[in-house]
């Protein structure tokens, strides 16, 4: 299982690439070449081998009316983006492929950010299409996952899910009910993540524009200077990162989120942790999670905090 999941971990997060303008892509072949050259060499617009899927799942996805790709401005920045419904081979040598959907966000100077929209990556059929509500573009997704057998069951079960996503601050979150937080409404943000099977974790807390990081020094320096999982670092958070974090928290409306989110498929290498918000009125909200695929919002925050480890100047204390 670990060998199969590792290549998909590359797809879970996003990174910038540089390529030709999206407007110049005219055919399926050109779109596929763009994705394979700039993102992952096992992405296809048509199935290269037998696709994973079940009759019920195929009907569920077909009713969505998705296309191989759509050109549309997903983040309302004036540049043409791409929504792609394609196929990916999860691991070299496997004789099947599975559906996956990607959003390619375009920015100035032909720079792009590629986001994998799938939640689950194990035995899942996935599709997406755009929809416009009140002059704003959303993405409607449908997902069918084959769940493992439970004790006493003879047949596996299919789990069907549909989400409406909106792009905010370069991340995709479920259709929100935003709550306006003033600057002093949130006093402290705490985020922790841990990985099984020896994957290093970290804790970050932010008060004002100051951040404290506790975690393996390898995460910060990018090389092994001695494994110390309790190493402590401090840094000043740049204004753009603060804007993204507080902006996402408003779209998440953390006060109304569940206390715990769990992946529908239990895996041996799941990440787990918690988001804890301390409000100015003394209240606290703790949101635990098992698996980063159970909530688009929690995954988006993970992306930001992981980027902070790589991009901010941390001083060991």
């Amino acid at each position: 299982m670990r060998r199969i999941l590792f290549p998909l971990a590359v797809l879970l997060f996003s990174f910038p690439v540089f390529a030709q303008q999206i407007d110049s892509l005219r055919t399926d072949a050109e779109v596929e070449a763009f994705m394979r050259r700039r993102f992952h060499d096992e992405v296809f617009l048509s199935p290269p081998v037998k696709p994973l899927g079940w009759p019920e799942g195929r009907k569920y996805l077909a009713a969505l009316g998705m296309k191989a790709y759509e050109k549309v401005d997903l983040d309302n920045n004036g540049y043409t983006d791409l929504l792609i419904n394609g196929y990916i081979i999860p691991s070299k040598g496997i004789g099947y492929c599975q559906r996956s959907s990607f959003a390619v966000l375009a920015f100035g100077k032909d720079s792009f950010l590629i986001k994998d929209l799938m939640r689950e990556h194990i035995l899942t059929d996935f599709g997406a299409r755009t929809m416009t509500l009140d002059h704003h573009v959303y993405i409607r997704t449908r997902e069918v996952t084959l769940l493992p057998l439970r004790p006493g069951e003879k047949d596996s079960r299919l789990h069907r899910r549909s989400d409406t996503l909106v792009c905010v601050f370069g991340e995709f979150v479920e259709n929100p009910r935003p709550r306006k937080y003033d600057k002093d409404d949130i006093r402290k943000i705490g985020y922790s993540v841990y990985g099984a099977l020896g994957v290093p974790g970290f804790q970050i807390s932010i008060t004002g524009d100051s951040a404290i990081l506790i975690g393996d020094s390898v995460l910060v320096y990018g090389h092994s200077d001695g494994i110390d999982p309790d190493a402590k670092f401090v840094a000043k958070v740049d204004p753009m990162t603060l804007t993204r974090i507080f902006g996402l928290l408003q779209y998440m409306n953390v006060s109304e989120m569940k206390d715990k989110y769990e992946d529908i498929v239990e895996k041996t290498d799941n990440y787990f942790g918690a988001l804890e918000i301390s409000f100015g009125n003394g209240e606290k909200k703790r949101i635990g999670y098992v698996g980063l695929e159970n909530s688009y919002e929690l995954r988006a925050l993970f992306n930001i905090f992981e980027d902070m480890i790589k991009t901010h100047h941390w001083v060991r204390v």
Side-chain angles (χ1 to χ4, degrees):
M1 183 67 73
R2 184 70 177 176
R3 181 179 63 85
I4 296 174
L5 281 176
F6 178 75
L8 293 172
V10 178
L11 302 179
L12 182 59
F13 310 112
S14 61
F15 51 89
V17 298
F18 300 90
Q20 65 190 81
Q21 293 183 2
I22 288 177
D23 288 329
S24 68
L25 302 175
R26 302 297 182 188
T27 66
D28 288 8
E30 290 176 349
V31 172
E32 182 178 287
F34 168 81
M35 288 295 290
R36 298 185 69 186
R37 182 176 65 251
R38 302 294 178 173
F39 181 45
H40 198 280
D41 61 2
E42 295 293 344
V43 175
F44 306 85
L45 286 194
S46 57
V49 293
K50 182 180 179 180
L52 182 73
W54 307 271
E56 180 184 339
R58 285 192 287 268
K59 291 179 181 179
Y60 184 61
L61 291 184
L64 183 62
M66 58 189 179
K67 303 175 182 178
Y69 66 90
E70 297 181 58
K71 293 182 179 183
V72 64
D73 186 359
L74 296 170
D75 54 0
N76 199 33
N77 69 347
Y79 293 94
T80 303
D81 305 315
L82 270 176
L83 173 63
I84 296 175
N85 289 297
Y87 298 83
I88 184 167
I89 298 178
S91 184
K92 297 287 187 180
I94 289 183
Y96 70 86
C97 63
Q98 65 183 79
R99 288 185 178 274
S100 192
S101 299
F102 308 92
V104 183
L105 303 178
F107 304 94
K109 298 181 181 179
D110 293 340
S111 62
F112 302 91
L113 195 63
I114 301 178
K115 312 293 291 188
D116 183 2
L117 299 178
M118 284 186 67
R119 289 160 40 90
E120 293 285 347
H121 287 90
I122 296 297
L123 300 179
T124 296
D125 224 354
F126 190 92
R129 71 171 178 87
T130 62
M131 57 187 297
T132 302
L133 298 173
D134 297 327
H135 308 288
H136 196 94
V137 177
Y138 295 84
I139 293 179
R140 188 68 170 169
T141 70
R142 285 192 173 185
E143 176 183 274
V144 183
T145 302
L146 180 65
L147 299 182
L149 287 172
R150 294 181 298 193
E153 288 185 335
K154 295 182 179 180
D155 298 312
S156 299
R157 298 160 290 130
L158 293 181
H159 180 271
R160 301 191 303 176
R161 179 188 173 99
S162 182
D163 288 299
T164 302
L165 307 180
V166 62
C167 185
V168 292
F169 304 101
E171 301 289 346
F172 286 90
V173 298
E174 287 102 318
N175 190 17
R177 288 178 293 174
R179 171 181 172 179
K180 180 65 176 178
Y181 293 111
D182 293 328
K183 183 178 180 182
D184 297 328
D185 285 345
I186 297 178
R187 287 189 175 178
K188 186 177 180 179
I189 303 167
Y191 188 88
S192 62
V193 59
Y194 304 96
L197 299 178
V199 177
F202 61 84
Q203 303 173 50
I204 285 183
S205 62
I206 297 177
T207 305
D209 64 353
S210 299
I212 297 175
L213 166 66
I214 299 176
D216 196 332
S217 56
V218 175
L219 291 171
V220 179
Y221 295 117
H223 60 83
S224 179
D225 61 343
I227 295 177
D228 181 2
D230 297 318
K232 186 175 181 180
F233 307 84
V234 295
K236 183 175 181 180
V237 189
D238 69 68
M240 181 59 69
T241 299
L242 283 176
T243 297
R244 293 182 68 200
I245 292 172
F246 278 90
L248 275 174
L249 289 176
Q250 293 189 72
Y251 273 88
M252 291 167 65
N253 196 350
V254 293
S255 299
E256 295 187 5
M257 291 184 69
K258 296 187 297 184
D259 292 335
K260 189 174 183 180
Y261 291 80
E262 295 186 68
D263 280 3
I264 61 172
V265 178
E266 183 179 349
K267 294 182 283 290
T268 58
D269 55 355
N270 261 343
Y271 284 99
F272 62 94
L275 168 68
E276 187 170 289
I277 305 296
S278 300
F279 295 95
N281 60 7
E283 295 181 358
K284 289 185 177 182
K285 174 69 174 183
R286 187 181 189 278
I287 304 168
Y289 66 90
V290 178
L292 282 171
E293 296 164 350
N294 49 41
S295 167
Y296 282 98
E297 292 99 337
L298 292 174
R299 188 171 73 174
L301 280 175
F302 175 87
N303 292 345
I304 294 176
F305 289 127
E306 188 187 48
D307 286 343
M308 281 182 61
I309 295 175
K310 302 173 184 176
T311 61
H312 281 59
H313 177 66
W314 297 94
V315 179
R316 189 164 183 169
V317 295

